Amino acid sequence: MKKMKRSFWIAGLVVLFVLALTACGGNGSNNQTGNSAAAGGSAANAAPSATAEVTLEPSSSPAAAESATRTIEYMGEQYTVPANAERIVITGAMEAMEDALVLDVHPVGAITFGGAFPERFAAITDKAESIGEKTEPNFETILKLKPDVILGTTKFKPEVVEQLKKIAPLIQVSHIASNWEANLNLLAELTGKQDKAQAAIAEYQADLGKAKALLGDKLKDKKVVALRIRAGQVFIFPAAVFVNPILYNDLGLAVPAEVEAAKAQEAISVEQLAAMNPDILFLQFAADENAEAATALEDLQNNPIIRKINAMKNDKTFVNVIDPLAEGGPAWSRVQFLKAAVEQLNK
């Protein structure tokens, strides 16, 4: 009898133990994920889920950060660009190169001349690779640089534009000098340097006010012309191109009929320049742009026909008052040319 009671007692304990294990097992199955995360169990620590990390902190994911974009507006067009446009390539747009100089922006790829960066861009090309010459972008190099944004030029042919658009968001920077503020503000918005851009614009406006007060009506009846020698030829520009907006719009000088008639950069002959007969002449001559006509400037200055024009006779011809490769229209050119030109015009 005692043995039978002991057997029933042992059997009861076994049943209770099995029921307890079953209950514990059920609870663990239903709350495995929550309990493991809360308690930091060994299974969770050994193999954390990648998708769980993204779900918990999507904003901190590198992939999410890379895909973040924003929309900016430039010259009436909207462009979708990365939220952090840190890798900028400049191709074709010398305007953007000059703006980078003003804003201290260091592109990862930039324009070279004869395979080298011009000395005046040394401050911003310290980390840059050559992506080709001004009119000859190297698509393979640009692709290799993985740019966030490409700043090209409005002068590019459609087929070049299409190739660049396949690599990264492309913004074509205006080559029209009167758009200099929009160009500068574009690069400033891309790089978060709006304060620097506004300071540069304010500096120019302040210098302009002083210049106009200094010159007064001194040049009221004078014909002032700015020309550029390229590939051995003399070129004239429309009133809205090169340094012309500074002379005719900002300083308020009279626009010569020949400048008014120019529809684009146009080559003029020695005879046409003589007939124009400017009282004051600004000439830009860069050796890099005249590789096959190295003596073009000297030949022009010594030409007996040109020596008879007023600017030559009165010693009012000024050569390279700023860097000969300067575009003339962007912020850097404007600040530099205004100071140098006023110094000469005030003599």
Side-chain angles (χ1 to χ4, degrees), residues 213-250:
L214 181 64
L215 295 174
D217 294 331
K218 187 175 181 178
L219 303 171
K220 184 178 180 181
D221 299 319
K222 300 294 184 181
K223 180 183 279 191
V224 181
V225 176
L227 305 173
R228 193 166 205 154
I229 302 176
R230 282 176 164 167
Q233 290 186 291
V234 179
F235 286 88
I236 192 171
F237 299 83
V241 181
F242 193 35
V243 298
N244 288 346
I246 305 171
L247 296 172
Y248 309 129
N249 184 54
D250 297 353

Side-chain angles (χ1 to χ4, degrees), residues 230-233 285-296 299:
R230 282 176 164 167
Q233 290 186 291
F285 175 86
D288 289 336
E289 294 183 329
N290 295 274
E292 298 181 5
T295 62
D299 293 342

Side-chain angles (χ1 to χ4, degrees), residues 74-75 79 88-97 99 109-111 131 133-135 137 139 142 147 149-157 160-162 164-165 168-176 183 186-187 190:
Y74 168 68
M75 301 296 294
Y79 299 87
I88 294 176
V89 162
I90 300 175
T91 174
M94 290 301 295
E95 293 79 9
M97 289 288 288
D99 288 342
I111 305 164
I131 49 74
E133 304 295 289
K134 183 177 178 181
T135 59
F139 301 117
I142 295 173
V149 176
I150 299 173
L151 296 179
T153 175
T154 46
K155 294 181 180 180
F156 273 154
K157 294 179 180 179
V160 175
V161 171
E162 289 307 309
L164 292 173
K165 283 183 176 179
L170 170 69
I171 302 177
Q172 292 177 264
V173 178
S174 174
H175 69 281
I176 303 300
N183 290 349
L186 165 66
L187 185 57
L190 283 172

Side-chain angles (χ1 to χ4, degrees), residues 142-343:
I142 295 173
L143 179 63
K144 182 186 69 174
L145 290 173
K146 298 180 180 179
D148 295 319
V149 176
I150 299 173
L151 296 179
T153 175
T154 46
K155 294 181 180 180
F156 273 154
K157 294 179 180 179
E159 55 268 29
V160 175
V161 171
E162 289 307 309
Q163 288 287 348
L164 292 173
K165 283 183 176 179
K166 293 177 182 178
I167 299 173
L170 170 69
I171 302 177
Q172 292 177 264
V173 178
S174 174
H175 69 281
I176 303 300
S178 53
N179 293 327
W180 71 281
E181 289 188 54
N183 290 349
L184 187 65
N185 286 327
L186 165 66
L187 185 57
E189 186 172 356
L190 283 172
T191 58
K193 297 197 174 188
Q194 291 90 335
D195 290 346
K196 270 185 172 289
Q198 291 308 307
I201 294 170
E203 178 188 355
Y204 178 73
Q205 295 299 340
D207 288 347
L208 179 60
K210 295 175 184 176
K212 294 172 75 172
L214 181 64
L215 295 174
D217 294 331
K218 187 175 181 178
L219 303 171
K220 184 178 180 181
D221 299 319
K222 300 294 184 181
K223 180 183 279 191
V224 181
V225 176
L227 305 173
R228 193 166 205 154
I229 302 176
R230 282 176 164 167
Q233 290 186 291
V234 179
F235 286 88
I236 192 171
F237 299 83
V241 181
F242 193 35
V243 298
N244 288 346
I246 305 171
L247 296 172
Y248 309 129
N249 184 54
D250 297 353
L251 289 175
L253 304 182
V255 183
E258 297 84 357
V259 173
E260 193 74 60
K263 302 303 180 185
Q265 173 182 284
E266 297 175 4
I268 61 173
S269 66
V270 168
E271 291 75 18
Q272 287 175 308
L273 175 54
M276 192 186 309
N277 193 24
D279 297 301
I280 298 171
L281 177 60
F282 290 99
L283 276 175
Q284 290 289 99
F285 175 86
D288 289 336
E289 294 183 329
N290 295 274
E292 298 181 5
T295 62
L297 174 61
E298 184 180 346
D299 293 342
L300 182 69
Q301 292 173 317
N302 293 330
N303 188 297
I305 298 175
I306 297 301
R307 290 182 68 84
K308 293 179 181 180
I309 68 176
N310 291 338
M312 286 288 186
K313 289 190 299 183
N314 300 321
D315 197 25
K316 293 294 182 180
T317 298
F318 308 110
V319 179
N320 293 343
V321 294
I322 57 173
D323 188 287
L325 286 175
E327 287 298 295
W332 187 91
S333 287
R334 281 178 175 264
V335 171
Q336 301 300 321
F337 181 77
L338 180 64
K339 291 177 180 177
V342 168
E343 182 181 346

Side-chain angles (χ1 to χ4, degrees), residues 78-93:
Q78 290 190 331
Y79 299 87
T80 300
V81 299
N84 297 313
E86 297 178 351
R87 299 182 63 80
I88 294 176
V89 162
I90 300 175
T91 174

